[in-house]
Amino acid sequence: MEKKSLDWANIGFHYIPTEWRYVANYKDGAWDEGGLSPDPTVAISECAGVLQYAQTCFEGLKAYTTEDGRIVTFRPDLNAERMTDTCRRLEMPVFPAERFLNALDRVVRANAAFVPPYGSGATLYVRPYMFGSDAVIGVAPSKEYQFRLFCTPVGPYFRGGVRPLTIRVSDFDRAAPNGTGHIKAGLNYAMSLHAIVNAHEEGFDENMYLDPKTRTKVEETGGANFLFVTKDGRVVTPKSSSILPSITRRSLIHVAKEYLGLTVEEREVLVTELEDMAECGLCGTAAVICPVGKIVDHGREICLPSGMSEMGPVTKKLYETLTGIQMGRLEAPEGWIRVIE
Ligand SMILES: *Cc1c(COP(=O)(O)O)cnc(C)c1O
């Protein structure tokens, strides 16, 4: 198989259509057979549920080439499981996990020429999603849905080296208590766009959202979970029912405990504790872990001792261990790597 001649190091994070995507339709209470399609466009009613009432959800994961040349994905069973939870909360039909995994395998295999080579730092980003496709004018769940899964090559996240972020404590809220913060719904992103544009205008890379009820506890950013390292070397990650359960964060916690022998605490984290932290990172599929150098809370500047020029030592170890597992340089826990034959 001949790889596409793309400049892997410089493709950035933009949509580049690939040759094949998977499409399945839900109608009269059942999913059709589904299959691969060369068509990158979607035609739906002008009154579709997704267009009127935002009934849509998504997932995100990566396919990449390991050191020994295999094409693999990382824990996609957890993406299927999370999409199931999301669909239930949004009154959408569940696309069965085994079909989700099969669609993933087929799309990645069909687009193997777009899977970046080992060592390029680039990956193939995979986007499964679902939306209400039939006309809905009275507020109610759609009756028909489309599940799609496409992929697009993306460049290395830390191109030009690691640059720790400066973030602010946001006055906007991301997720209401008992709301939809714990599911991967498009609506959580629509309402975060104003907050992120405003953060950028004010010179910050990201928003640190607090719990809306008391505004004393750290939740997450718009698209990544927090992981802290205390000055005495414990790994701490916020616990809340309105945080999106990041697969990367859950994997890093396992790595911290089982590979690095660190103490891990999953608990409420108060804003007043931020001064006690030595390192802070943002966890998600895109970067794995991106260091934070400074947190600004309404003029109060918290500078992480790990600094503004590189990852702190524990963050770096976590990053290297998890990416080592993903790339096949370190032995993976059972079931973490799905090889695309
Ligand atoms: C997707 C997402 C994450 C990261 O989850 P991963 O499974 O690690 O990619 C974190 N927070 C939010 C709000 C998200 O939507």
Side-chain angles (χ1 to χ4, degrees), residues 73-247:
T73 52
F74 182 71
R75 308 188 79 182
D77 52 312
L78 297 186
N79 295 97
E81 193 179 280
R82 193 167 64 185
M83 193 163 189
T84 296
D85 295 342
T86 301
C87 287
R88 293 220 164 98
R89 179 64 175 78
L90 294 177
E91 291 295 333
M92 300 171 87
V94 167
F95 193 68
E98 66 278 13
R99 290 197 61 186
F100 179 106
L101 295 172
N102 181 256
L104 169 66
D105 291 354
R106 287 173 68 183
V107 169
V108 174
R109 203 180 297 127
N111 294 297
F114 288 93
V115 182
Y118 175 77
S120 66
T123 53
L124 187 73
Y125 184 75
V126 181
R127 171 54 59 86
Y129 65 116
M130 192 194 295
F131 53 89
S133 54
D134 64 317
V136 176
I137 195 73
V139 176
S142 305
K143 291 190 172 61
E144 297 175 14
Y145 295 85
Q146 188 165 102
F147 170 87
R148 294 177 79 96
L149 185 149
F150 70 80
C151 58
T152 188
V154 296
Y157 190 86
F158 293 117
R159 193 164 62 97
V162 175
R163 180 185 67 90
L165 306 180
T166 296
I167 67 174
R168 71 167 182 193
V169 174
S170 176
D171 289 328
F172 297 104
D173 293 325
R174 188 191 85 89
N178 310 310
T180 55
H182 61 301
I183 59 165
K184 220 164 169 71
L187 61 92
N188 291 336
Y189 281 79
M191 62 96 210
S192 75
L193 296 175
H194 176 64
I196 191 67
V197 168
N198 181 256
H200 290 165
E201 282 168 359
E202 298 194 353
F204 300 101
D205 296 301
E206 269 295 346
N207 286 300
M208 169 183 274
Y209 292 106
L210 305 183
D211 74 299
K213 197 170 175 178
T214 71
R215 307 198 66 78
T216 59
K217 289 172 273 187
V218 175
E219 295 249 305
E220 61 172 318
T221 67
N225 286 182
F226 281 108
L227 195 145
F228 298 99
V229 181
T230 61
K231 287 178 179 159
D232 57 0
R234 285 168 294 131
V235 172
V236 179
T237 184
K239 185 176 175 152
S240 151
S241 57
S242 49
I243 288 176
L244 194 283
S246 157
I247 294 165

Side-chain angles (χ1 to χ4, degrees), residues 16 172 229 248-249 305:
I16 300 169
F172 297 104
V229 181
T248 313
R249 189 251 306 157

Side-chain angles (χ1 to χ4, degrees), residues 15-46:
Y15 170 67
I16 300 169
T18 55
E19 277 150 21
W20 297 98
R21 68 280 300 130
Y22 180 90
V23 184
N25 288 291
Y26 182 89
K27 194 177 174 173
D28 300 329
W31 288 104
D32 68 10
E33 202 185 324
L36 295 182
S37 164
D39 187 356
T41 62
V42 176
I44 48 174
S45 165
E46 64 184 352

